[in-house]
Amino acid sequence: MKSGIRSFPPPWELRQSKGVVCITAFGNPQVLAVGFIEKSLLREYCYKKHEDWRSVACNLVGPEKKGVGVTIVSCYGDDLWKSSQPVKVLPDSGVVNPLGGGRYDDGDYGNVGFQNGCVVCPLTTIISEEDIGIDEGDDMNEIDDAYDAQVTADAVGIEQLNISEQIEEAEKKTSPADSQHKETSEIDHDVILEAAFYSSLIQLLVSKTPLPMPVSTYSGKHLMAAVPISGPRLDIKQTSFKKIGPFLLEMESRGVIKLGSSKDKKDRCAFLVGIEKQHPDLVAFKRQWKKDKEESGLDPTTGNDKRKLAVVDLFVVPRHMSDQMQLAQEEVKAMNAKTEERKGTGFLTKTECRAIIDGYIESEGLVDPQNKGKILVNGPICDALYRPSKKNKASTEDASYPTSVTRKELIDLWMSKMDAGHAIVEMPGSRILNLAKGEPKPVDIEVEFRQGNKKKFLTRIRGMEEYGIDAELLSNDVSQRFACSSSVETNPVGRAALKKGRAELVFQ
């Protein structure tokens, strides 16, 4: 495993050996096994450019790292070792292994630390009296302590060959400010638990959830759900209470909540019976909670995201009408629109569209002097609004056109001649996500039986991009909320093709 690796060769040596490595044990430098570095680890470590390969090795292997690091091919004690066992070993015969302290013919590769094909021990026999500093007259307990310390030092020296040395150097380079930041960033689970507790109580009061409620239901559906997703996760066992029961009993002793016992009276906190709305701690937390939600763009009453999407109807002046009436292009192109997204696009609000016809009436002096409620119909207005198109001209050759109409009739007719458009707007803030002509396109949701199973369904969704919704985010959110599997398909097989940048979500 990666967590057991304490020394690691440089990447160029691994490339030369094609990932083949030798394995030793702490305190015994002789090789006991041969294997291959795991492929993904080999690619990451050897075939990518790194400025400092030592720091990369520390990040890939060592303590607290998970996953397979080396695949063993042959090791001490396996069938290959058994097949090479000597038939008979003569005493005091054979060549001595200077590294292992034994004779090669003893069946253990001449290493006294290799025992019976199943145990590998540190080489404690090669330590001399000079190494541990024994003098005449020393107490035997002191000699034993010095002997053990020397053995440990040898083992630690081998253990820290690469990985641990780099970790120590990194710790030495860590500035006092970084150390202080690390200490202050430690997670206080008691604080997280208390904040989630008060937040869950506010949610219960807002939603008017009926009480009493089993503590198990409250803990699973309300308390744990109140822990912010973006923040650190709550671990009850890391708190000073260790369990939810003692914590709730503590809150009851403060007067924040009321608990009910089970029927047999053995469990004192079996039910959450009531909440003290006016408790000072709850009131103070609610004020700060509302303030934080407002600053983060969330609804202070529910704590949910208060941003919503709205479809706003827009209008576009047809080009032939603009040319016939010789309208100002700045107004027709919405150059003075309040939002930057609409400037120069020609998409007008109802107020802006009405202002164009009102301005035209005033500039042309079309108000009837004898009847202020009437508007005179001049040639351009008649051609633009009343005269039929060329396709319908034959059927309306004898049609008559009005010479004056009321302002309301003229404005209503003007608005009916406009091309339709729409905008997808994020509220609050009125941020325009999408502008397009015509009616807003619907989101297609199809539900069908799964193949070979008439009890389970497949749900397919298309068209969410029209409303500024990211397909990947929606897929992850839905799969987490409903505990279902989801996939994002950009090129569905056997179905209608998608436009570039669009996707189809499949839930099952």
Side-chain angles (χ1 to χ4, degrees), residues 33 37 51 59 70 118 138 255 312 328 360 362 379 382 448 458 498:
I37 293 290
E51 294 182 358
N59 294 329
V70 179
C118 58
D138 287 347
V312 179
Y360 181 81
E362 297 298 330
C382 184
E448 61 185 32
L458 273 177
L498 295 166

Side-chain angles (χ1 to χ4, degrees), residues 5 7-10 13-15 17-24 31-38 41-42 45-46 69-74:
I5 299 176
S7 64
F8 216 50
E13 292 185 1
L14 278 179
R15 284 196 294 267
S17 68
K18 297 183 179 180
V20 179
V21 293
C22 298
I23 302 169
T24 61
V31 175
L32 64 92
V34 178
F36 288 95
I37 293 290
E38 199 270 330
L41 178 60
L42 185 66
Y45 180 61
C46 296
V70 179
T71 301
I72 303 297
V73 177
S74 178

Side-chain angles (χ1 to χ4, degrees), residues 156-269:
V156 171
I158 294 177
E159 177 182 355
Q160 297 179 346
L161 277 178
N162 282 333
I163 307 303
S164 300
E165 286 178 2
Q166 295 300 318
I167 294 175
E168 288 179 359
E169 290 178 4
E171 291 177 350
K172 290 178 181 178
K173 294 179 181 179
T174 304
S175 62
D178 294 336
S179 301
Q180 183 179 2
H181 175 72
K182 184 176 180 180
E183 294 176 358
T184 56
S185 61
E186 292 181 356
I187 300 174
D188 190 344
H189 291 272
D190 284 348
V191 174
I192 299 174
L193 176 60
E194 188 169 342
F197 169 72
Y198 285 119
S199 179
S200 64
L201 296 187
I202 294 173
Q203 297 284 3
L204 290 175
L205 293 174
V206 170
S207 61
K208 298 181 180 179
T209 304
L211 297 177
M213 175 190 299
V215 166
S216 59
T217 303
Y218 165 72
S219 175
K221 293 187 176 181
H222 300 278
L223 179 61
M224 299 306 295
V227 179
I229 299 177
S230 58
R233 299 185 63 181
L234 172 62
D235 187 355
I236 296 291
K237 294 182 180 180
Q238 297 296 328
T239 65
S240 59
F241 300 96
K242 305 301 180 183
K243 294 183 179 180
I244 190 63
F247 172 74
L248 294 179
L249 291 173
E250 173 65 22
M251 292 297 106
E252 184 186 34
S253 65
R254 298 184 189 179
V256 183
I257 58 174
K258 295 180 181 178
L259 298 175
S261 59
S262 58
K263 291 183 178 180
D264 56 6
K265 306 298 182 181
K266 292 182 178 180
D267 188 359
R268 292 175 52 196
C269 57

